[in-house]
Amino acid sequence: MNTLNTPSATSAHDDAPAGYMRNAAGHLVPLDQVREQDLLRDQVAREIAVEAVDLNQRLREFKARALGDVADLVRIAGERYEVTLGGKKGNVQICTYDGRYKVVRQVAERIAFTEELEAAKALINGCIDRWSEGANPHIRALVDRAFRTDTKGQIKSSAVLELLRLEIDDAEWLRAMDAIRDSIQSTGTATYVRVYQRIGDSDQYRAIALDLAAV
């Protein structure tokens, strides 16, 4: 961490006159009225944020360049055999000649749920009420988790889809699963690029982390 110095702290505020800092409410505060700890906190937060913005932009540029290069490779392969290989769509995996690195382009479908999901939830609750005596309590926990919304009020699709994998031979449960399937609505696709590095001389690969939580 850099040591605090007054000029660098003030210069970080481009829209504030010399000798002032702008607070969160938008008010100009004379620099000599700002506590040293507040100045230090501002400097540390600003330096981290500025670097994060730069990294974000570089990641965007990396993704665009990587997807463009993979698309060009697919196009060249198609031209060689005089066929069209689907442009940007489709999953593609490419490796270096020595097998050390692997790049995967993955196109994932985005989904949402229609109002029929509420019917599925009612049917499932009916099943659980019927099974209440002797039923595994983990089933209730799994269902509650599946229909729980996040901070934006959205249901996590993967949790709902997990219910479809349960093998339960019950007519009402099966109707609920049909309702879930009918409620699934495609809202578009998202394209990802993932890079992997081979672990030693094995046939196993480890993802090269490109997000903060994984490094």
Side-chain angles (χ1 to χ4, degrees), residues 27-178:
H27 303 143
L28 289 174
V29 180
L31 192 59
D32 59 8
Q33 294 183 17
V34 180
R35 293 188 315 142
E36 182 175 336
Q37 186 66 26
D38 291 339
L39 288 171
L40 182 60
R41 185 187 308 111
D42 175 86
Q43 179 178 327
V44 172
R46 193 171 302 277
E47 288 175 355
I48 292 172
V50 167
E51 187 171 358
V53 169
D54 178 63
L55 285 172
N56 177 267
Q57 180 60 33
R58 288 163 58 191
L59 279 173
R60 288 174 181 270
E61 293 170 355
F62 163 76
K63 179 181 178 182
R65 184 175 66 254
L67 291 177
D69 289 348
V70 172
D72 286 344
L73 186 66
V74 172
R75 177 183 54 77
I76 291 169
E79 290 175 351
R80 180 169 297 162
Y81 298 100
E82 299 182 351
V83 294
T84 301
L85 298 180
K88 298 179 181 178
K89 296 183 179 180
N91 298 337
V92 176
Q93 176 178 298
I94 61 176
C95 293
T96 57
Y97 193 68
D98 62 2
R100 185 180 182 187
Y101 296 105
K102 178 172 64 176
V103 178
V104 176
R105 182 186 73 183
Q106 183 178 5
V107 181
E109 186 178 19
R110 286 194 177 116
I111 65 171
F113 298 100
T114 67
E115 70 285 351
E116 290 156 313
L117 189 64
E118 289 300 315
K121 185 177 180 181
L123 287 167
I124 291 172
N125 283 332
C127 289
I128 294 176
D129 289 342
R130 248 185 326 107
W131 304 337
S132 58
E133 297 222 355
N136 190 324
H138 296 311
I139 294 291
R140 169 69 76 178
L142 181 62
V143 171
D144 288 344
R145 184 171 67 112
F147 290 98
R148 188 180 304 148
T149 57
D150 59 19
T151 55
K152 297 180 180 179
Q154 301 295 315
I155 290 176
K156 189 175 181 180
S157 58
S158 59
V160 174
L161 297 179
E162 282 180 10
L163 297 177
L164 296 174
R165 300 188 183 97
L166 297 177
E167 296 184 6
I168 299 177
D169 187 14
D170 180 281
E172 190 173 18
W173 178 270
L174 295 176
R175 287 207 315 276
M177 297 304 100
D178 286 339

